[in-house]
Amino acid sequence: MRVLVTGGAGFIGSHVVEALTARGHETVVFDVRTDPGADVRDPAAVAQAVAGVDAVCHQAAMVGLGVGFADAAEYVSRNDLGTAVLLAAMAEAGVRHLVLAGSMVVYGEGRYECPRHGVVRPGPRAVADLDAGRFEPACPVCGADLAPGLVGEDAPVDPRNVYATTKLAQEHLAAAWARATGGSAVSLRYHNVYGPRMPRDTPYAGVASFFRSALARGAAPRVFEDGRQRRDFVHVRDVAAANAVALEAGSAAGALIAYNTGSGEPHTVGEMAHALADAHGGPAPVVTGEYRLGDVRHITADSARLRTELGWKPEVGFAEGMREFAAAD
């Protein structure tokens, strides 16, 4: 296939290009890093890019929590307007296959179970609790301690920051495009992706990048909250392979199918910081008790659907991946 990869010069996109090329596909990169005119919000540029391609892997996006709500208009412009322009061009050109870079942030908090009330959905954490160091959400019915678990794709969505809201809107746009055109759309809901080429020293990068940047400066990684918040750290090459598998498998015409894309091995943020520090030979992490209001406590996914339906499985283990990431340029 001839595949357009938006954001194909970026962190994840460049690995997607490599994975597709290794499997015999021809790739077309559309990225402002290599061409200042390659703005996914520009209808003329996008129309030219989609001409003659068989499918699109849409990786271009503004990511992370940014620096505050002042970023909202830019997030919506780049992520949602850009996706709408791309989908309109695909509809016009007759391109009917899409793999979207989705995100686990659409779920908000993860899955929790109360010993008395079963599965519950706690609301946003209160500032007073966070200020007091009470980081674990409580049962919204009885206030009891909750046990975190794995989130399935059928869980209700509850985006809790601007970035999360735009990622969910991208899925809705893709679903509308699929229904209108008879196209097939897959959203890979990435978990915490890390690995070589991850951007550094930017407020839009992920926590693993922050920690590695600190270690490169000879500073201790600063771990927010108590370091016990659970995440699923998935290697970028495994994510790239998931894109290739999803593209080749296709999906039902006229619908969007979402797949959680994680390693299946939850780890705490503190564990990740210690693994990086040990691999780098740098200072031990410092747990600060600080917090970001848009963060959720625990979010780890069940990626069984992606494994079962598409035959994908992650190949890079946590320890191996962190050692490689610590030494990466």
Side-chain angles (χ1 to χ4, degrees), residues 48 54-55 82 87 100 107 161 169 180 186 205 235 241 299 308-309 314 323:
Q48 183 176 0
D54 303 301
L87 293 171
L100 172 69
Y107 297 117
N161 55 60
V186 169
H235 196 277
I299 176 66
T308 301
E309 294 187 7
R323 285 194 299 269

Side-chain angles (χ1 to χ4, degrees), residues 70-170:
D71 284 333
E74 191 71 7
Y75 272 108
V76 172
S77 176
R78 291 183 181 273
N79 295 356
D80 299 338
L81 174 60
T83 298
V85 169
L86 173 65
L87 293 171
M90 291 173 63
E92 180 68 22
V95 181
R96 296 292 182 262
H97 301 287
L98 172 71
V99 176
L100 172 69
S103 176
M104 53 79 184
V105 295
V106 300
Y107 297 117
E109 282 285 356
R111 184 183 188 276
Y112 293 89
E113 191 164 350
C114 171
R116 291 180 57 194
H117 298 100
V119 176
V120 295
R121 292 185 60 79
R125 295 181 292 173
V127 171
D129 287 335
L130 295 170
D131 285 342
R134 294 188 294 269
F135 301 121
E136 294 288 348
C139 175
V141 181
C142 67
D145 292 340
L146 299 175
L150 300 180
V151 180
E153 290 90 347
D154 297 329
V157 291
D158 184 17
R160 296 194 175 180
N161 55 60
V162 171
Y163 170 62
T165 301
T166 64
K167 296 307 290 184
L168 182 57
Q170 284 184 307

Side-chain angles (χ1 to χ4, degrees), residues 35 81 112 139 149 182 217 263 299 316 325 327:
D35 178 1
L81 174 60
Y112 293 89
C139 175
R217 297 191 304 269
S263 71
I299 176 66
V316 182
F325 182 51

